[in-house]
Amino acid sequence: RRQACEAGLGRVVVTMPSAWMEEMSGAATGGGEEQANRRAQHPAPEKERQRPASQGRSGEYQDEGEEGSWINTLLPFASLILTVLMGLLAWYMMKYRIARKPIVKGISTSVMLDWDITNVYEYVSTPDFRTEWHMAAVEVNGPAIDHSAVTGEVFMEELRVKGKTVEVEWGVLERQFPTSVSTQYAEFVLEGVATIGAGKGARKETWREVLRLRAGRH
């Protein structure tokens, strides 16, 4: 038999013995039958036969990809919720924050008196005399206001300031009494809660009054 194949513009003629051709054809046919017999005897697993040929390793990461997409979708919402919660917390702290201690208020002034320090101290530390020298004092009440007040004693004082009534509950916080006329320094400290105004518009403040006495040269 002769087989011919065209290559380019020429023709190539190959002459082969017929016995070779028959042997090669039989080998090809027998090889195909042998391979078919092997497949019949050893079938492929069920999952492998059902899986598409196009499915490679990418299928193994399919679940991971879906999980990542859900995270990317929920992340903006989680960020928004966190921002709202932080805003609510800041609003709550501003509205219901712990009340700060009222600011201590007072007036600083100085007076020169031609009197010995013991008499001056006795005068300014006796609550009953406050209506004579304390600014805007209208009335003083208390269980013991007729002597120099000692540490721990309390008394009430009513003031009239800019047309408003102010009631102050004073307490003696500290006192340094002059022991003699030669004492150079003495101190009388009061602290109290002042109620300014009346009714619903009333407010409270913490006041402190410090009286410092210094003796001059005789």
Side-chain angles (χ1 to χ4, degrees):
R1 297 180 182 178
R2 294 182 179 180
Q3 289 185 346
C5 61
E6 295 183 359
L9 300 178
R11 178 184 293 268
V12 178
V13 180
V14 180
T15 304
M16 298 181 65
S18 60
W20 289 9
M21 295 296 297
E22 293 177 357
E23 184 178 355
M24 291 178 64
S25 176
T29 306
E33 293 179 355
E34 183 178 357
Q35 187 175 6
N37 293 333
R38 288 181 181 179
R39 290 180 180 178
Q41 294 177 1
H42 303 284
E46 185 67 22
K47 293 184 179 179
E48 184 176 354
R49 292 202 305 267
Q50 293 179 357
R51 186 178 62 181
S54 60
Q55 180 180 2
R57 295 185 58 85
S58 60
E60 300 177 2
Y61 304 101
Q62 183 176 3
D63 295 339
E64 297 180 3
E66 293 179 356
E67 183 179 355
S69 64
W70 275 104
I71 294 176
N72 294 334
T73 303
L74 295 177
L75 188 60
F77 294 98
S79 178
L80 178 61
I81 293 174
L82 181 61
T83 303
V84 172
L85 291 177
M86 292 296 292
L88 290 175
L89 179 61
W91 171 81
Y92 179 85
M93 293 179 65
M94 290 293 294
K95 186 175 182 179
Y96 299 101
R97 61 182 178 179
I98 299 175
R100 296 177 296 178
K101 186 177 180 180
I103 300 175
V104 177
K105 293 188 177 182
I107 297 176
S108 177
T109 185
S110 60
V111 178
M112 296 294 295
L113 299 175
D114 188 12
W115 208 4
D116 65 76
I117 192 171
T118 55
N119 291 334
V120 173
Y121 189 92
E122 190 77 24
Y123 178 72
V124 298
S125 62
T126 301
D128 199 25
F129 295 142
R130 290 177 68 86
T131 55
E132 299 180 5
W133 66 269
H134 192 246
M135 62 174 187
V138 176
E139 186 177 358
V140 177
N141 295 306
I145 61 174
D146 57 350
H147 62 270
S148 178
V150 298
T151 304
E153 289 188 333
V154 296
F155 61 92
M156 296 292 298
E157 182 177 34
E158 182 181 335
L159 308 174
R160 194 70 179 172
V161 181
K162 296 182 179 180
K164 294 183 179 181
T165 300
V166 180
E167 294 182 353
V168 188
E169 183 179 358
W170 290 114
V172 181
L173 187 64
E174 183 181 350
R175 60 178 271 149
Q176 184 177 343
F177 188 81
T179 56
S180 66
V181 292
S182 61
T183 302
Q184 297 297 309
Y185 180 79
E187 188 175 72
F188 186 68
V189 181
L190 299 174
E191 188 173 83
V193 178
T195 303
I196 304 174
K200 296 183 179 180
R203 70 178 190 275
K204 294 183 180 297
E205 296 178 350
T206 299
W207 286 10
R208 176 174 293 184
E209 183 177 282
V210 181
L211 302 175
R212 297 185 177 96
L213 285 68
R214 296 183 182 276
R217 296 180 179 178
H218 297 285

